[in-house]
Amino acid sequence: MELDGLVPQNEEVVTWDINDIKLPKDVKQTDWFQEWPDSYVRCIYSSDDKNAQRHLSSWAMRNTNNHNSRILKKSCLGVVVCGRDCLSLDGRKMYLRPAICDKARQKQQKKSCPNCSGPLKLIPCRGHGGYPVTNFWRHEGPFIFFQSKGTHDHPRPETKSEAEARRSIQKAKLPASPRLKQSRDTESLTGKTQTWNPLPLIVSKQEDLLSQSSSFMGHFRDKTPQEQALNTCLSLTKSYSSAKTPDLVEHPQNMDCNKYLSKCKLSGSRDYSYREPMEPTAFVYDEPRQHQTWSKNASLEKNSPAERYRNSSTTIFAGLHCETLTSVNALDVGIQYAPNRWEPTVKVDCHSFRSHASTFGGGTTEGKPHQNYSGSNIPSSFYQASPEDPCVMADTDHHYCQNSLPFKGNEWCFEEERKYTNADHCNSEMLLNIFSLR
DNA sequence: GGATGCGGGCGGT
DNA sequence: ACCGCCCGCATCC
Ligand SMILES: [Zn+2]
Ligand SMILES: [Zn+2]
């Protein structure tokens, strides 16, 4: 059942559908990227939004063929849980991210629970009429239209970055020789149980993670733990960032956290080409020429300085990446935890922000930058910790990064920002903190 | 290796 | 026609 118009996006009534021949062209404001879109929502992202460009979602979504090259369709793979419903030390369940690749997923299901070595179980998504929730992406001019159909009927899996972190850590900790590796593959192919994550990655204390991390990293003779960690961190953010972090690369061990943090403040999106909102017409689905032409016209020429300014800040937010928002948990536990009692999320808004001077000129972050970016449920890093817990520190840093974006956007901020592409540095820094605190 | 996209093909409604 | 989905191919990291 469609809920057309019932969930106003952008404080306006949604009048479009992803399948419409024409999509709205007079978009006054774009939405914050949603990491966990759920239910029947529709969003309009800026085409500058890196996450939207990559069609990212923290749900495990896989591409599916809808025989329509204009609209990218993805369906949810659900979540992987322990077949024994085991709990971590702190009493939380873990929710692993299903591998997106079919082959990899099959392999994954042969592995065993990293916590109790029990079998893993894939909970399929049946949130859309008994079928997986589907997401649709459609690029149109300066916007990326997004639509979700169905409500996930399962817990959230670990995020993409968390899953990547897990892989990196596992790879790093098992610099297995080719021979050993081969036997392992054979084992998995024959269906024998293989503990997915032999190392006790499931820990409830950051302390534990730290010690474990540095211990396995200590195996590398040629690199310091910091360097090793850094490599991991950088590799994790690589796919999201086109920026270089020369300081870190060249002098990781000398990197000062505060210094690094200051860079976080300047982090944002790299691409500032913005397009003016269109005349109140629409994007024509079946007339590629039209929107292409339009795109060209609108791209760069019509921007007045004021427009450029406000638009650039718009882009700054749009450029924030998933990792920035998933916080330090990329390495904190590596696994998505949640309370034992899982409640389906009912409502999710597209957190939009006004692309008006008020949002910017104020120089505040009142444009609800903190508003549950991840929707109305448990934070990805569901983590009980004491104030002195390193994790808290890291998380604080994370928020700081998010709040410290150059809202005021003077020319300097603007330029500086271009140097430090995006907020991924925040993430890298957090990761670095984790490993270097010791 | 695995994430992502693409698109041919098949079967069900 | 629309949808779910399997499968191989290609690209990129
Ligand atoms: Zn288990
Ligand atoms: Zn789902």
Side-chain angles (χ1 to χ4, degrees), chain A residues 106-238:
Chain A
Q106 290 173 21
K107 262 201 238 173
Q108 179 185 46
Q109 291 190 261
K110 291 175 183 173
K111 296 181 180 177
S112 57
C113 173
N115 191 33
C116 72
S117 296
L120 291 180
K121 181 174 62 179
L122 175 64
I123 298 179
C125 178
R126 303 189 193 290
H128 188 210
Y131 288 105
V133 168
T134 50
N135 285 176
F136 300 86
W137 297 88
R138 180 170 158 190
H139 294 232
E140 224 46 89
F143 307 113
I144 297 177
F145 294 82
F146 171 85
Q147 183 169 345
S148 173
K149 295 182 180 179
T151 303
H152 298 279
D153 61 343
H154 55 85
R156 294 177 176 185
E158 58 186 357
T159 65
K160 181 185 169 187
S161 56
E162 285 166 340
E164 288 174 347
R166 170 196 303 290
R167 275 205 300 275
S168 292
I169 289 177
Q170 187 156 19
K171 187 184 287 184
K173 96 194 154 200
L174 292 176
S177 64
R179 184 180 292 178
L180 186 60
K181 192 176 173 186
Q182 201 165 25
S183 68
R184 181 167 284 116
D185 289 343
T186 304
E187 191 178 22
S188 69
L189 285 176
T190 50
K192 291 186 180 178
T193 44
Q194 173 190 358
T195 298
W196 187 357
N197 219 327
L199 272 198
L201 256 186
I202 299 182
V203 292
S204 58
K205 299 289 186 187
Q206 193 67 29
E207 287 290 306
D208 296 338
L209 176 62
L210 288 168
S211 59
Q212 288 164 13
S213 300
S214 49
S215 70
F216 83 71
M217 285 178 178
H219 293 167
F220 297 88
R221 301 278 167 75
D222 56 330
K223 293 184 178 180
T224 67
Q226 288 84 358
E227 288 172 309
Q228 201 60 48
L230 179 63
N231 287 339
T232 300
C233 296
L234 292 178
S235 70
L236 288 175
T237 59
K238 194 165 50 178

Side-chain angles (χ1 to χ4, degrees), chain A residues 269-336:
Chain A
S269 174
R270 172 174 58 88
D271 184 0
Y272 293 96
S273 61
Y274 178 86
R275 290 80 169 177
E276 284 277 271
M278 295 303 87
E279 294 81 63
T281 27
F283 293 105
V284 179
Y285 193 142
D286 53 0
E287 294 182 35
R289 284 183 188 174
Q290 180 168 334
H291 72 249
Q292 279 179 2
T293 303
W294 177 87
S295 181
K296 284 181 181 176
N297 292 339
S299 59
L300 295 170
E301 300 166 12
K302 298 168 76 176
N303 290 346
S304 67
E307 290 294 341
R308 279 181 61 87
Y309 174 67
R310 94 159 125 94
N311 295 334
S312 70
S313 24
T314 292
T315 310
I316 290 166
F317 292 106
L320 285 175
H321 295 184
C322 272
E323 287 85 343
T324 311
L325 301 139
T326 43
S327 174
V328 69
N329 55 14
L331 275 188
D332 87 7
V333 232
I335 296 175
Q336 175 81 26

Side-chain angles (χ1 to χ4, degrees), chain A residues 352-369:
Chain A
S352 60
F353 54 90
R354 291 274 167 197
S355 55
H356 294 329
S358 59
T359 304
F360 268 96
T364 68
T365 59
E366 63 187 10
K368 40 185 171 182

